[in-house]
Amino acid sequence: MAITEAVENYLETILILSKVQPDIHAIDICSYLGYSRPTVSVILKKMKDQGLVNVDKDNHITLTDKGKAIAENVYDRHKVISEILMKLGVSKEVALEDACKLEHDLSDESFEALKNFYYHNVLGE
């Protein structure tokens, strides 16, 4: 199974949830994404088979190193793109929604250019 936009969204969700709660279960992902339990279970199994997540005996879900690297990349894209859009005057709600769409399709080259521009010219870092 290729790393699809859906898988990236699941990985990003697990990363976000891991920042605010100690244990993540499938039901947490269902609640966050608004998906049914069977849908989440099918994708989790595929992600586990791909080596992107681990599920322990208590059904706690964690990212593997491979899964975490992908999740952090997607999350970084989401943060940077949404911040740029908000700095350009886009409302927070629309910026977050649009960032979610753009984060998956933007080339690495274009994202790095946006990120460098944002950090150097907007934030002055």
Side-chain angles (χ1 to χ4, degrees), residues 99-118:
C100 194
K101 296 171 190 171
L102 292 169
E103 68 195 19
H104 304 286
D105 293 326
L106 198 60
S107 71
D108 290 340
E109 180 181 356
S110 292
F111 175 69
E112 285 304 316
L114 282 173
K115 185 176 175 178
N116 287 333
F117 177 83
Y118 178 69

Side-chain angles (χ1 to χ4, degrees), residues 1-123:
M1 178 169 102
I3 306 299
T4 62
E5 181 177 328
V7 169
E8 288 180 345
N9 283 334
Y10 276 85
L11 293 170
E12 182 182 24
T13 296
I14 295 166
L15 179 69
I16 291 167
L17 291 172
S18 72
K19 293 176 183 289
V20 296
Q21 63 190 62
D23 299 316
I24 301 160
H25 295 91
I27 194 69
D28 300 317
I29 298 168
C30 294
S31 296
Y32 189 89
L33 293 173
Y35 298 157
S36 71
R37 177 68 190 246
T39 299
V40 170
S41 294
V42 167
I43 297 296
L44 281 173
K45 182 183 179 335
K46 290 178 181 179
M47 289 170 42
K48 184 178 175 188
D49 292 345
Q50 269 195 297
L52 300 171
V53 297
N54 291 316
V55 182
D56 70 15
K57 61 180 175 47
D58 295 319
N59 291 316
H60 297 146
I61 301 163
T62 56
L63 296 169
T64 63
D65 289 342
K66 179 180 175 183
K68 188 173 185 178
I70 295 166
E72 287 175 340
N73 181 50
V74 174
Y75 186 63
D76 185 43
R77 285 171 169 256
H78 188 93
K79 287 189 318 184
V80 170
I81 293 167
S82 62
E83 286 294 324
I84 290 170
L85 291 172
M86 286 186 280
K87 288 284 186 187
L88 292 171
V90 176
S91 70
K92 183 176 182 178
E93 180 180 314
V94 172
L96 292 172
E97 185 178 317
D98 286 348
C100 194
K101 296 171 190 171
L102 292 169
E103 68 195 19
H104 304 286
D105 293 326
L106 198 60
S107 71
D108 290 340
E109 180 181 356
S110 292
F111 175 69
E112 285 304 316
L114 282 173
K115 185 176 175 178
N116 287 333
F117 177 83
Y118 178 69
Y119 284 119
H120 297 293
N121 297 301
V122 178
L123 297 180

